Amino acid sequence: MNWSIVFFAAMMLLLLRILRLRIRANTTRSESFKRLPPKDQLTVLKECLLNNPSEANLRNLAEFAERSSLEIDVESYRPYLKSQLEIFGRKDAIAEDNELYTAETAWMDKITPFEFKEAEAFKSEGETQKYIERTLEGIARLYSDDAILEALAKLAPDYPHANELAESYKQLMQTRDESLADDKSLEKLRKLKEAWEDDLLNVRL
């Protein structure tokens, strides 16, 4: 199955929940966007670039990185933009797009969500519950399978339910990989992913 199609149908849900209440405009130049906390701005910018690879979206991310003193190798993403244009319209575009999307999500997850830094600060202060909550929020803003499973494994010693979350995510991965690309299958997958996210963000202490 085309991974980007699955992503659009099943993994946009968290961002949409964020934006539905917190942003009312379609441009990162808007006052609505500027009023978002930096961690939400970063999520929006990454999401825009991942789902619509363009020079404009890459430039927006680069400008945010400069303002926020983030070290992001923006130029290393430029080959992905070129590849998107090259495979567009090819007969084997779906297979190539799957591979490209996997590489793009791995690149995105090198930009660590701010939630993880906040989580570590809570941990150092002995605020275990806040550490767990913020870590789970950070995991919800990851894209690649490897990054999600790695973060859950790291959290497991402090939050045993992370092991169950990892197993259920692996089952979700298998369902996704075996799923057809028809509307019914995508809707089923969307609901499964939404249920997994609800479980992820429902802290069990």
Side-chain angles (χ1 to χ4, degrees):
M1 171 181 289
N2 188 326
W3 177 240
S4 59
I5 290 176
V6 174
F7 176 79
F8 181 80
M11 300 189 73
M12 277 283 288
L13 298 174
L14 178 67
L15 181 67
L16 290 175
R17 286 200 295 270
I18 296 169
L19 299 186
R20 189 177 299 122
L21 297 176
R22 307 188 74 168
I23 192 168
R24 293 291 184 268
N26 295 321
T27 173
T28 58
R29 304 296 181 184
S30 71
E31 289 302 317
S32 297
F33 175 81
K34 293 176 182 178
R35 286 195 295 269
L36 290 173
K39 61 184 179 182
D40 292 340
Q41 289 187 18
L42 178 59
T43 297
V44 171
L45 292 169
K46 290 165 66 176
E47 196 79 23
C48 288
L49 181 57
L50 186 59
N51 286 285
N52 182 24
S54 68
E55 288 289 343
N57 285 332
L58 185 60
R59 183 169 58 252
N60 289 337
L61 180 60
E63 291 173 354
F64 175 84
E66 184 176 357
R67 292 194 306 271
S68 306
S69 299
L70 292 179
E71 294 185 6
I72 300 177
D73 183 10
V74 174
E75 291 302 313
S76 66
Y77 197 84
R78 205 169 298 280
Y80 300 134
L81 302 183
K82 181 180 179 181
S83 296
Q84 288 284 2
L85 293 175
E86 290 176 348
I87 69 175
F88 181 75
R90 289 184 184 176
K91 292 182 179 179
D92 57 352
I94 290 180
E96 292 190 49
D97 189 50
N98 284 334
E99 295 179 6
L100 179 58
Y101 183 82
T102 298
E104 288 171 337
T105 56
W107 189 95
M108 285 294 170
D109 285 339
K110 291 180 182 179
I111 308 172
T112 306
F114 288 167
E115 285 83 355
F116 287 111
K117 184 176 181 180
E118 294 177 355
E120 289 302 319
F122 283 130
K123 187 175 184 179
S124 66
E125 296 169 359
E127 297 279 358
T128 303
Q129 181 171 343
K130 291 182 179 179
Y131 159 68
I132 293 171
E133 291 173 347
R134 200 65 83 247
T135 300
L136 293 172
E137 291 171 9
I139 292 172
R141 291 186 168 183
L142 295 173
Y143 300 99
S144 63
D145 297 337
D146 289 344
I148 291 170
L149 293 174
E150 181 180 344
L152 287 170
K154 182 179 178 180
L155 181 62
D158 297 295
Y159 186 57
H161 184 55
N163 291 316
E164 296 178 32
L165 287 167
E167 290 304 312
S168 59
Y169 187 78
K170 290 175 183 177
Q171 294 175 11
L172 182 62
M173 288 168 55
Q174 181 176 353
T175 302
R176 176 199 69 203
D177 293 341
E178 296 174 352
S179 181
L180 300 176
D182 58 86
D183 291 342
K184 184 177 181 180
S185 298
L186 289 174
E187 177 62 14
K188 178 182 178 181
L189 187 60
R190 183 192 67 77
K191 290 180 179 179
L192 289 173
K193 181 60 169 60
E194 186 175 32
W196 185 84
E197 288 178 344
D198 287 343
D199 190 19
L200 174 73
L201 297 173
N202 182 23
V203 182
R204 302 182 185 183
L205 297 175

